[in-house]
Amino acid sequence: MLELTLDRLTKRYHNKIALDQVSTEFTQGVYGLLGANGAGKTTMLRLLCDILDPTEGEVLCNGTPIRRLGGEYRRLLGYLPQDFGYYPDFTALRYLRYIAALKALPPQTARDKVEECICLTGLKGEEKQKIRTYSGGMLRRLGVAQALLNDPRILIMDEPTSGLDPRERIRFRNIISSLSRDRIIILSTHIVSDVEYIADEILLLRAGQLIQKGTVTEVAEQVKGRVWECMVSPAEAEELGQKYAVANLKNLAGMVKVRIVSDEKPIPQAEEAEPALEDVYLYYFDQAGPQKRQTYGENPYERKENVDVSDRAL
């Protein structure tokens, strides 16, 4: 079985620590990497793809450092960056054949894989249109298609559903689910619903530190007893929004149903609610008001130091 291991992986940019002593393992399945902008998600993916060299630590594939494996490792990889390059005046068919040639696929294999990827990503019938005529959703599907041409065992995607409408996001999730049976799939996002239903494990990254890892249920369990719901007046809802991290507001017959993520019970009549992954995200990554996280709670990745978080995505 294929296994990727991050061993104390660290990346610094001058005086900025983008990734800080991250150690974890990936085996077959779908992994959702969640974090706010600037958390270090893109840096981590680029290190996994051997695009960047780590400052400290290393990435190992089945126990061997990927830098030593070189081209052998890259043949296992499929990568969809947040902004992948393409030629607007190429048709999708010509573009995919071009990428297949860059990946050194034999001619017959290239023809077969291009056709297979076009069908898989729902581009059949659109493959002879110029790429500049494609919608955002079609472009992301084309990006997935080019990443799959070499039949990768490791598929890495950075913000793959950015800018997609709900229908396209559902289509994308279905594609990923169909691919996950015999691959390691790692996708980073700040859109919780993209990974909530398809990820086997969730990783939470904040300020370059891995603060949680586990199934959706396991990760949600970490905020049990910290999610509350209450019915209040509109004025009270506004006041609560200024003091606490509010996950949801719903107007009901002149009152407001408020869902709050907080270590403390916000008001006496608030009732504890079952946590969801969105609540976990808000608990760890909300940056507003007195509920801003100063520590990461009791978990195996606990860090007590305050960290200066840049808004710049890394």
Side-chain angles (χ1 to χ4, degrees), residues 60-91:
L60 302 101
C61 181
N62 285 348
T64 303
I66 61 173
R67 283 174 290 179
R68 193 185 306 167
L69 291 171
E72 182 183 346
Y73 175 70
R74 285 188 287 276
R75 282 190 288 274
L76 297 173
L77 278 176
Y79 178 44
L80 174 60
Q82 188 170 357
D83 298 304
F84 75 97
Y86 59 88
Y87 296 100
D89 287 324
F90 275 26
T91 65

Side-chain angles (χ1 to χ4, degrees), residues 243-245 261-264 283 286 288-294:
K243 295 174 62 178
Y244 298 101
V261 182
S262 168
D263 289 320
E264 62 185 41
Y283 181 78
D286 178 63
Q291 293 298 308
K292 181 176 179 179
R293 302 269 74 76
Q294 297 299 323

Side-chain angles (χ1 to χ4, degrees), residues 237 240-242 244-249 257-261 282 286:
L240 287 170
Q242 294 173 355
Y244 298 101
V246 175
N248 192 43
L249 293 169
K257 186 176 183 179
V258 185
R259 187 178 180 93
I260 291 170
V261 182
L282 195 61
D286 178 63

Side-chain angles (χ1 to χ4, degrees), residues 122-301:
L123 290 173
K124 188 66 178 174
E126 313 288 344
E127 73 270 27
K128 294 183 180 178
Q129 290 187 29
K130 290 189 175 181
I131 299 174
R132 58 180 165 83
T133 68
Y134 274 19
S135 66
M138 293 170 73
L139 280 175
R140 299 315 286 175
R141 281 186 271 147
L142 180 63
V144 174
Q146 63 82 27
L148 291 172
L149 282 173
N150 59 323
D151 197 20
R153 299 280 308 283
I154 303 167
L155 184 58
I156 295 175
M157 293 174 284
D158 192 3
E159 300 287 354
T161 60
S162 178
L164 300 190
D165 63 32
R167 182 179 177 182
E168 285 288 355
R169 294 234 289 274
I170 292 168
R171 182 199 291 265
F172 172 82
R173 292 201 300 263
N174 291 339
I175 291 172
I176 297 307
S177 293
S178 71
L179 293 171
S180 65
R181 287 185 292 271
D182 57 354
R183 291 180 172 89
I184 295 173
I185 299 179
I186 304 169
L187 58 96
S188 83
T189 184
H190 57 270
I191 303 172
V192 174
S193 60
D194 285 348
V195 294
E196 187 166 16
Y197 300 109
I198 61 171
D200 297 296
E201 287 199 2
I202 301 293
L203 293 84
L204 301 182
L205 197 67
R206 176 171 173 171
Q209 300 165 2
L210 183 61
I211 59 173
Q212 287 288 342
K213 181 184 178 184
T215 66
V216 171
T217 301
E218 290 168 345
V219 170
E221 188 69 20
Q222 296 297 321
V223 298
K224 194 171 182 65
R226 298 182 174 98
V227 183
W228 312 89
E229 288 186 346
C230 52
M231 292 289 290
V232 295
S233 69
E236 288 173 308
E238 184 175 349
E239 184 178 339
L240 287 170
Q242 294 173 355
K243 295 174 62 178
Y244 298 101
V246 175
N248 192 43
L249 293 169
K250 186 176 183 179
N251 291 302
L252 295 169
M255 298 291 283
V256 182
K257 186 176 183 179
V258 185
R259 187 178 180 93
I260 291 170
V261 182
S262 168
D263 289 320
E264 62 185 41
K265 193 172 187 177
I267 55 176
Q269 66 265 37
E271 296 182 354
E272 187 178 330
E274 195 66 25
L277 189 58
E278 192 172 69
D279 300 314
V280 176
Y281 187 95
L282 195 61
Y283 181 78
Y284 285 111
F285 303 123
D286 178 63
Q287 297 293 310
Q291 293 298 308
K292 181 176 179 179
R293 302 269 74 76
Q294 297 299 323
T295 64
Y296 297 132
E298 296 180 1
N299 62 72
Y301 305 100

